[in-house]
Amino acid sequence: MSRPRLAELQLKRLREVVARVYARVPYYRRKMEEAGIKPEDIRSLDDLVHLPFTTKEDLRENYPFGLFAAPMEEV
């Protein structure tokens, strides 16, 4: 795969993941809102730097149920 094609695929997948977690995971929606970013703000791979980090403390406070992107009935 050529480098431009790979970058295009990576951007497509990044945008899909960001949109999915923003829509389905309250924890990530809150973190993105606090950072002032919405899924439609991701326009290039360079925008990755604007996404908030998930820290070890975040995982301790929210893992596993607070990070689910699907209802418990579907898990």
Side-chain angles (χ1 to χ4, degrees):
M1 182 178 292
S2 69
R3 180 66 189 134
R5 178 68 183 116
L6 177 60
E8 182 182 316
L9 178 62
Q10 289 172 328
L11 177 59
K12 176 182 180 274
R13 290 182 178 172
L14 174 63
R15 293 181 79 189
E16 288 171 354
V17 168
V18 170
R20 183 171 47 251
V21 298
Y22 188 87
R24 295 183 174 191
V25 184
Y27 164 77
Y28 284 117
R29 178 190 304 257
R30 182 177 45 79
K31 291 289 277 191
M32 284 189 238
E33 287 174 349
E34 288 172 359
I37 191 161
K38 295 186 178 187
E40 57 269 16
D41 296 334
I42 305 297
R43 295 187 186 103
S44 74
L45 291 176
D46 293 333
D47 292 330
L48 185 63
V49 299
H50 301 293
L51 294 172
F53 280 94
T54 301
T55 65
K56 187 185 290 189
E57 188 62 31
D58 294 331
L59 293 174
R60 284 184 184 134
E61 291 175 8
N62 296 286
Y63 184 82
F65 305 111
L67 301 175
F68 281 3
M72 284 295 290
E73 304 82 46
E74 295 178 21
V75 175

